Amino acid sequence: MNLKIIAFDADDTLFANEPYFQETEYKFCELMSSYLPQHSLSQELYKTEIDNLDLYGYGIKGYTLSMLEAAIKISCNTLSIEAVSKIIDLGKELLQKPIELLDGVEDTLKALHGKYKLIVATKGDLKDQQRKLHDSGLGPYFHHIEVMADKQKLNYQKLLTRLEIMPEEFFMIGNSLKSDVLPVLEIGGHAVHIPFHTTWEHEKIGHTIEHPNFKTIDKISDVLPFLLK
C-alpha cells in the first residue's frame, strides 16, 4: 500500500456517542409513556428522524427537532409547553455530554502521527464535532478535520479531490460499514471496520463484505501492525 492519508471516523470510533443517544431516547420515551408503549415511541421517533435527514442532516440539533416533531405527532398536537421544554433540555444535555475516549485511541494516534497525515472524516453538526474534538484533546494529532454532510461515494470523492490524493492512497477507519467502509471501497480506497457494541439502526447493512482492501479488527490499536510495517 502506498498510503498518504489515514482517516478516522469520530463518533464511536474515537469516542463514545451512540450510547448517549440511546440514553436520550429512553428519557424521551419515559416522557411520552402516557401516549404509546416504548417500542412504538422509539419507532415513531426513528421514522421522524430518518424522514428529516435530508432537511437537518446528522447531529444532535436535528435529532432534537425530530424529537419535538415526533412528540407533537404522538400527542396529536396536544403536547404541553412543559413537555416541549423538557425535550429541548434533553437536546442540550446531549450537547454537553462528557467525552469518553475509546480504548487505545490516543496511543494509536501517537504511534501514527508524523508517519502519515491523519485526518478526521465524520458526519454530524460542525460546531458539536469541533467541540468534541477540542475537548477530547485529540485535535493536535490531525492535519485536517472534515465534517461531512453525508458519507456516500460522492462525498468521499470530493474529499479526496480537496486532499489532492488518489483513492488508493486513502485509508479509512470507522465503526460503520455503511458510512465508513462501503463507499470508500467503491472509489478504490482502503477501509477498516472496528465494530462498536451498539450501532444506530440507520448504519446497519444486511450483508457481509468481501474485498481485498477491507479488514475488520477488534480494537483501534490493531491497525498498527499493518500500517507500521
Side-chain angles (χ1 to χ4, degrees):
M1 294 186 293
N2 182 29
L3 300 175
K4 292 184 179 179
I5 298 287
I6 310 297
F8 295 83
D9 176 51
D11 294 331
D12 299 322
T13 299
L14 300 178
F15 33 71
N17 180 65
E18 181 60 18
Y20 292 144
F21 275 87
Q22 291 187 346
E23 177 188 336
T24 301
E25 180 182 322
Y26 178 79
K27 291 178 179 178
F28 171 84
C29 291
E30 279 193 320
L31 179 64
M32 302 298 296
S33 61
S34 62
Y35 295 96
L36 289 171
Q38 181 176 341
H39 179 68
S40 298
L41 291 167
S42 292
Q43 282 186 325
E44 186 60 42
L45 175 57
Y46 178 73
K47 180 181 181 302
T48 304
E49 188 180 4
I50 297 305
D51 288 346
N52 284 334
L53 278 180
D54 286 343
L55 285 173
Y56 303 147
Y58 298 86
I60 294 172
K61 294 172 186 174
Y63 182 71
T64 303
L65 288 171
S66 291
M67 282 195 293
L68 287 168
E69 182 179 336
I72 290 168
K73 288 179 186 175
I74 291 163
S75 69
C76 297
N77 299 318
T78 63
L79 192 68
S80 69
I81 293 299
E82 180 184 12
V84 169
S85 180
K86 287 181 179 178
I87 291 171
I88 291 171
D89 286 342
L90 288 178
K92 288 181 177 179
E93 287 175 15
L94 198 50
L95 283 165
Q96 298 175 75
K97 290 293 185 181
I99 304 303
E100 179 188 346
L101 287 184
L102 300 184
D103 289 344
V105 164
E106 188 155 17
D107 288 342
T108 300
L109 294 176
K110 283 180 182 178
L112 295 174
H113 189 245
K115 298 174 178 64
Y116 299 93
K117 284 186 177 179
L118 308 182
I119 74 165
V120 173
T122 193
K123 294 186 294 192
D125 177 78
L126 175 61
K127 187 174 180 63
D128 182 45
Q129 293 292 15
Q130 288 177 334
R131 174 193 68 83
K132 288 192 286 190
L133 283 164
H134 176 270
D135 291 352
S136 72
L138 300 179
Y141 292 108
F142 295 109
H143 169 77
H144 178 80
I145 295 170
E146 185 85 7
V147 180
M148 305 161 77
D150 203 349
K151 281 181 162 182
Q152 298 186 35
K153 183 177 176 180
L154 180 60
N155 303 100
Y156 281 105
Q157 287 172 328
K158 289 180 178 179
L159 172 61
L160 267 57
T161 297
R162 284 193 291 275
L163 294 171
E164 299 181 327
I165 62 168
M166 301 298 292
E168 59 269 22
E169 298 170 326
F170 183 73
F171 190 97
M172 181 73 201
I173 301 169
N175 69 295
S176 170
L177 291 169
K178 182 178 180 180
S179 294
D180 301 319
V181 172
L182 288 177
V184 173
L185 297 178
E186 286 176 9
I187 65 172
H190 301 264
V192 161
H193 179 227
I194 311 173
F196 192 60
H197 63 83
T198 181
T199 302
W200 183 31
E201 194 66 32
H202 184 63
E203 294 294 339
K204 295 179 181 179
I205 64 171
H207 60 89
T208 58
I209 298 174
E210 298 289 340
H211 195 286
N213 290 0
F214 170 68
K215 289 181 174 66
T216 295
I217 58 177
D218 294 325
K219 56 187 185 298
I220 196 167
S221 58
D222 289 345
V223 301
L224 296 179
F226 50 88
L227 287 179
L228 297 179
K229 287 181 181 178

